Amino acid sequence: MPKSKRNKIVSLSKTKKKGKEHKESIVNAIREAAEDYNSIYVFSFENMRNLKFKEFREKLKPTSRFFLGSNKVMQVALGRSVSDEIRPGLYKVSKLLRGDAGLFLTNMPRDEVESCFNKFEENDFARTGTIATEKVELLEGPLDQFTHEMEPFLRKQGMPVRLNKGVVELVSDFVVCEEGKPLSPESARILRLLGIKMATFRLNLICRWSPEDFELYKGLDESDVECA
């Protein structure tokens, strides 16, 4: 009788060791990159879209390198205080790695970096939990954009619809979402069907470090670094 894969014993010590080795490899990669590139930036991101980020990363690959992942691991790599920073001033960069953030190491001139990040913006369909940027309401009457085959699906999303001579009809006004409120799974699906994009994937520069200086973006000042 073949052995059940479900009953296979996995050594926790091995999985922990693998996780530790992975973290150490990231730390080493960041430290090597910190020596190879002229400047280091911290950036935050909103509404991450992996495919679009990959395209952006590939575009800048010849002159730059990105790191995303555990903020704590990236902080350890750079040094979290003056006593353990790997290059002078990098502890300030480390303190700003919080929330949805990443590292960008590059040899690109400062103005080119700022231009690339400021221009990068990608609109996409919002996902469940995203805060609605506007109120969307459908008025009673025929919904010509939907075929009759979609009527059961629309009903499952909570829409008060029926078929009238083969045409999907809304029997009463229906609010898909309210501005400032998180989208439900049903609202997100309906907005996608309507072709309404409420999410914008952005990358925002937070700070820039070079051997010569350190600069904060987004209206931050030195007190934000000390309090981080």
Side-chain angles (χ1 to χ4, degrees):
M1 184 175 180
K3 292 182 180 179
S4 170
K5 291 183 179 180
R6 190 175 297 175
N7 296 327
K8 185 178 180 181
I9 297 174
V10 177
S11 170
L12 292 178
S13 61
K14 286 185 179 179
T15 58
K16 287 181 180 179
K17 183 179 180 182
K18 186 176 181 181
K20 184 180 179 181
E21 289 176 350
H22 177 65
K23 290 177 182 178
E24 288 178 349
S25 68
I26 293 173
V27 167
N28 291 333
I30 292 174
R31 288 177 173 173
E32 288 176 11
E35 297 293 335
D36 294 337
Y37 293 96
N38 298 329
S39 54
I40 301 174
Y41 295 77
V42 172
F43 65 92
S44 63
F45 53 87
E46 305 170 41
N47 301 304
M48 171 61 79
R49 296 297 185 264
N50 291 332
L51 182 59
K52 294 300 177 182
F53 179 70
K54 184 178 180 180
E55 292 174 359
F56 184 69
R57 186 178 63 194
E58 287 298 315
K59 177 183 174 183
L60 302 180
K61 191 174 181 179
T63 58
S64 315
R65 188 164 182 185
F66 284 90
F67 288 95
L68 282 179
S70 166
N71 289 339
K72 186 176 180 180
V73 172
M74 292 189 287
Q75 288 171 344
V76 168
L78 298 176
R80 289 185 283 188
S81 65
V82 175
S83 62
D84 63 3
E85 63 185 3
I86 59 172
R87 297 185 71 179
L90 278 181
Y91 85 95
K92 295 180 181 180
V93 174
S94 178
K95 284 181 174 290
L96 291 168
L97 283 165
R98 56 194 184 217
D100 294 329
L103 284 174
F104 175 64
L105 299 91
T106 185
N107 289 324
M108 292 171 60
R110 169 184 162 184
D111 57 344
E112 287 185 24
V113 172
E114 293 174 356
S115 177
C116 283
F117 275 75
N118 291 337
K119 288 178 180 177
F120 183 79
E121 189 173 285
E122 191 71 34
N123 295 320
D124 199 0
F125 295 108
R127 296 169 179 169
T128 301
T130 301
I131 302 301
T133 57
E134 61 180 295
K135 178 180 180 179
V136 175
E137 183 175 11
L138 300 176
L139 302 180
E140 177 185 348
L143 298 173
D144 298 324
Q145 64 267 55
F146 300 123
T147 61
H148 68 276
E149 292 96 341
M150 296 190 69
E151 188 264 345
F153 178 79
L154 296 174
R155 263 192 289 113
K156 286 182 179 180
Q157 308 314 309
M159 294 178 65
V161 293
R162 68 182 179 188
L163 281 179
N164 185 0
K165 297 180 180 178
V167 177
V168 178
E169 185 178 71
L170 201 60
V171 300
S172 62
D173 294 350
F174 178 73
V175 176
V176 178
C177 61
E178 293 277 4
E179 182 180 355
K181 293 185 178 180
L183 296 178
S184 67
E186 294 78 15
S187 296
R189 293 186 199 109
I190 295 169
L191 290 174
R192 181 177 284 270
L193 290 174
L194 294 171
I196 298 174
K197 296 181 178 182
M198 282 194 182
T200 303
F201 173 30
R202 293 189 184 94
L203 302 173
N204 304 304
L205 292 173
I206 294 176
C207 71
R208 178 185 65 84
W209 172 93
S210 73
E212 294 78 31
D213 61 354
F214 175 76
E215 178 183 5
L216 289 162
Y217 294 96
K218 293 182 65 178
L220 299 174
D221 56 42
E222 290 287 342
S223 63
D224 293 288
V225 178
E226 299 304 323
C227 294

